[in-house]
Amino acid sequence: MSEKEKVKFGNWLSAAPATMGGLSMIGWMSVVIAVMLMVVCFIFGNFLGGLLALLLGLIFVFLFMFRFGEMDAGRTIAARVLERASQKRRKDTGATQYRTGLFSGLPAGQLWALPGALADIEELNGTDGEGESFTLLHHRSVGKLAATLTCVPDGADLLPQGMLDAQVETFGGWIADLSEDTSIAGATITVESALLSKKPLVQKLEGHVAEWAPAAAKEAHAQATAQLPDFFTDTSVHGTVVWDVKSVGEDLEEATAEVAGKLPYHRDFLYASGGGMPAVGTSEDLARVVQIAYNPHRAIEAATDDLLGHENPMRLSEAGPDYFDDFPTRVAFHDGVASMTAVMVIPPRIHITEKTFKKLFAPATKFLRKRVTVFYRPLSSGEALKKAEQLRRSTRTSASAKSMASAFDENKVQLAKKNESDLVDGAAMQAFSLMVTVTFEPTKKAYREATQKLKNLLESTKLTYRFVDYGVSSAFHATLPLGILPWEYKDIVDTVAEGM
């Protein structure tokens, strides 16, 4: 099927407020108010007070409302200063360095606890409506319940185009249905991938060959391992759904029972979307995911244990890193490797097909491991209509503010109109974002190569992005399939600093 014949989907608009000269409508209103206060003060003869009111108003607008940066992706001075101040405070208090183990100073029973907000997670184990075991994660600090489903997707390259289109449509239906359950706070899809050499695996297997084994058996083993491809891919996909405890039940026990009853529905939907045979992750499953994220070299050990039938009884609450340091800018160091995270700030300004993000999600060289997480925030029908109206006004304002609107401006106006039309026809609207975490060896060469490779992958998707330079630990753990929704941890200070 040609590119023109392929099913295209997506109607993506930035939720950032429209700006004229770097200021939103609220920003310009603030400027007008400051000028009016100055005029009033002048009328009453208070010239000094008038000038002071104007000066303070302009300073407030300049710091908290004026956005510097690319189109639709600018950031205020206050937001940038707050990031640096927060990082400095964390360094001064030692919060940028995390240690586990006997000499860590952690309380007994939590010697290998996860860092940050993850340390406050409570594991709730049970059986769902179809008799399958599961572990729910209770994020106590924000009152949320998360369930992670492990998927084994079908290989898209081997599927007929018609089946692929049907799976995409079903997956889109699942995302749209998130809005129908008002107790759902959000959902994520996490794709982890690695392109691995066979050498470590072969060495690991050879270590388990007994010295007294017959020469013929050793020769057969050597020939078998020699037939393995030089590189192989290790890919895992997780879908995480997060519910609000207060919305889904009167108390935690009732909420747990309600969520357990909803799990088969989400499992069936992901199955129909090409997710293989999704299974709700247990504490041991999630612990393995986290341990490999901290050190990708553990993937070989885990695969060898699977081949030999060894079980790993480690639970998620015991899966913390040996150490995690994020005091440098952009890079975090943990368990012998390094990592960095990039976040999407503006979606691709194009319609997409199933191949648009293929390179970003596929295994790639220059990384020990790559983790891409897409965040979905469902909007109710009322919220969706309000947001669509806001987008229509903001895109029209942004386009009319220029003497000659660009093709991007005109395209955004048309997309905003289509948004409202689609909502009238019964479509759903979801807010979404995307983050990419890559892990590499802790050397300057590996960092340089990983940075360039990640930039190339992100540029190929036509999205606008920025690297997370401060709060690297928070970004790293947000991309794990553990149900951390960044907007649930945002406070009023962050909101004001980001501008209006």
Side-chain angles (χ1 to χ4, degrees):
M1 181 176 286
S2 69
E3 192 69 22
K4 291 184 178 180
E5 294 174 317
K6 289 187 176 182
V7 173
K8 294 183 178 181
F9 59 96
N11 183 20
W12 301 353
L13 282 169
S14 169
T19 59
M20 293 182 293
L23 282 179
S24 64
M25 289 300 295
I26 296 179
W28 282 111
M29 288 175 61
S30 300
V31 173
V32 171
I33 291 174
V35 173
M36 290 178 63
L37 286 175
M38 180 190 69
V39 173
V40 170
C41 290
F42 282 2
I43 292 175
F44 286 94
N46 188 353
F47 294 98
L48 181 60
L51 293 175
L52 183 61
L54 178 63
L55 179 62
L56 292 177
L58 293 178
I59 290 176
F60 175 80
V61 169
F62 183 72
L63 294 179
F64 291 92
M65 295 187 178
F66 192 86
R67 296 173 179 272
F68 296 87
E70 298 183 40
M71 178 177 62
D72 294 337
R75 303 184 69 218
T76 65
I77 292 178
R80 300 168 192 259
V81 171
L82 180 63
E83 276 188 339
R84 288 166 172 76
S86 176
Q87 181 73 356
K88 184 179 185 304
R89 183 174 64 253
R90 293 180 66 243
K91 284 183 179 180
D92 294 341
T93 59
T96 55
Q97 295 181 310
Y98 182 77
R99 300 289 184 272
T100 61
L102 296 174
F103 303 102
S104 63
L106 293 174
Q110 298 181 354
L111 293 178
W112 304 100
L114 294 167
L118 295 179
D120 198 36
I121 286 180
E122 177 185 7
E123 299 177 23
L124 304 174
N125 302 303
T127 305
D128 66 17
E130 296 184 352
E132 297 290 337
S133 298
F134 66 84
T135 296
L136 298 182
L137 302 180
H138 179 208
H139 294 257
R140 288 180 286 202
S141 61
V142 291
K144 298 294 182 286
L145 270 180
T148 299
L149 295 95
T150 300
C151 305
V152 184
D154 306 323
D157 291 338
L158 302 178
L159 295 178
Q161 187 64 41
M163 181 180 293
L164 196 61
D165 292 339
Q167 290 179 348
V168 171
E169 182 179 356
T170 303
F171 182 70
W174 177 71
I175 296 174
D177 280 0
L178 296 176
S179 297
E180 297 184 4
D181 187 346
T182 57
S183 63
I184 292 181
T188 65
I189 296 294
T190 302
V191 180
E192 285 197 89
S193 61
L195 191 62
L196 305 173
S197 170
K198 74 173 183 181
K199 293 181 180 179
L201 179 60
V202 171
Q203 293 173 355
K204 188 77 173 178
L205 292 174
E206 289 177 348
H208 290 278
V209 177
E211 295 182 1
W212 44 264
K218 292 182 178 180
E219 179 64 23
H221 179 272
Q223 292 179 0
T225 54
Q227 295 300 316
L228 294 173
D230 291 335
F231 292 91
F232 64 97
T233 61
D234 178 18
T235 304
S236 60
V237 180
H238 304 276
T240 305
V241 185
V242 184
W243 289 265
D244 183 75
V245 173
K246 293 182 179 179
S247 299
V248 79
E250 292 291 334
D251 52 33
L252 183 59
E253 183 178 356
E254 182 179 342
T256 302
E258 286 291 328
V259 169
K262 298 173 183 287
L263 293 178
Y265 167 81
H266 293 281
R267 193 164 55 221
D268 292 343
F269 234 125
L270 291 177
Y271 166 76
S273 303
M277 296 296 292
V280 183
T282 63
S283 180
E284 290 78 9
D285 296 332
L286 298 176
R288 173 173 174 165
V289 171
V290 171
Q291 279 284 288
I292 293 176
Y294 286 134
N295 186 345
H297 297 300
R298 294 181 179 131
I300 297 295
E301 299 176 12
T304 305
D305 288 340
D306 290 342
L307 288 173
L308 299 176
H310 297 165
E311 295 184 359
N312 185 1
M314 179 182 292
R315 301 186 63 80
L316 179 62
S317 57
E318 305 165 341
D322 294 335
Y323 68 91
F324 198 106
D325 296 338
D326 70 331
F327 54 86
T329 301
R330 187 176 295 185
V331 179
F333 296 93
H334 43 88
D335 290 10
V337 296
S339 65
M340 59 183 169
T341 300
V343 58
M344 180 193 81
V345 291
I346 298 295
R349 297 179 176 92
I350 56 173
H351 283 288
I352 68 170
T353 69
E354 77 280 356
K355 291 188 176 181
T356 304
F357 286 92
K358 184 176 181 179
K359 291 182 179 180
L360 184 61
F361 285 99
T365 58
K366 309 302 181 183
F367 310 131
L368 295 176
R369 202 167 188 87
K370 173 166 57 69
R371 183 168 63 255
V372 184
T373 297
V374 184
F375 299 85
Y376 296 100
R377 185 178 186 179
L379 301 177
S380 66
S381 56
E383 292 172 329
L385 289 171
K386 183 178 180 180
K387 176 59 70 174
E389 184 179 354
Q390 175 189 333
L391 289 171
R392 175 172 54 80
R393 290 198 307 265
S394 64
T395 53
R396 184 177 298 173
T397 300
S398 180
S400 61
K402 300 178 181 178
S403 57
M404 182 176 294
S406 67
F408 281 127
D409 294 322
E410 294 175 356
N411 184 54
K412 286 193 293 183
V413 171
Q414 295 302 317
L415 288 179
K417 291 180 179 178
K418 188 175 184 300
N419 260 338
E420 289 188 310
S421 177
D422 290 343
L423 289 173
V424 171
D425 291 337
M429 180 184 288
Q430 312 288 340
F432 87 101
S433 187
L434 181 149
M435 298 175 71
V436 186
T437 297
V438 296
T439 308
F440 47 91
E441 296 291 354
T443 64
K444 290 183 178 180
K445 179 182 179 181
Y447 168 69
R448 183 177 63 255
E449 292 178 344
T451 301
Q452 189 59 49
K453 182 67 174 182
L454 181 55
K455 287 181 178 179
N456 292 342
L457 291 176
L458 292 169
E459 290 290 345
S460 70
T461 64
K462 310 300 182 184
L463 57 80
T464 304
Y465 65 93
R466 68 178 177 87
F467 285 96
V468 178
D469 290 328
Y470 305 99
V472 183
S473 175
S474 298
F476 176 94
H477 292 96
T479 58
L480 292 173
L482 301 179
I484 292 182
L485 303 177
W487 58 86
E488 295 293 343
Y489 295 85
K490 190 174 182 180
D491 57 25
I492 186 63
V493 176
D494 297 320
T495 303
V496 174
E498 287 292 343
M500 294 173 282

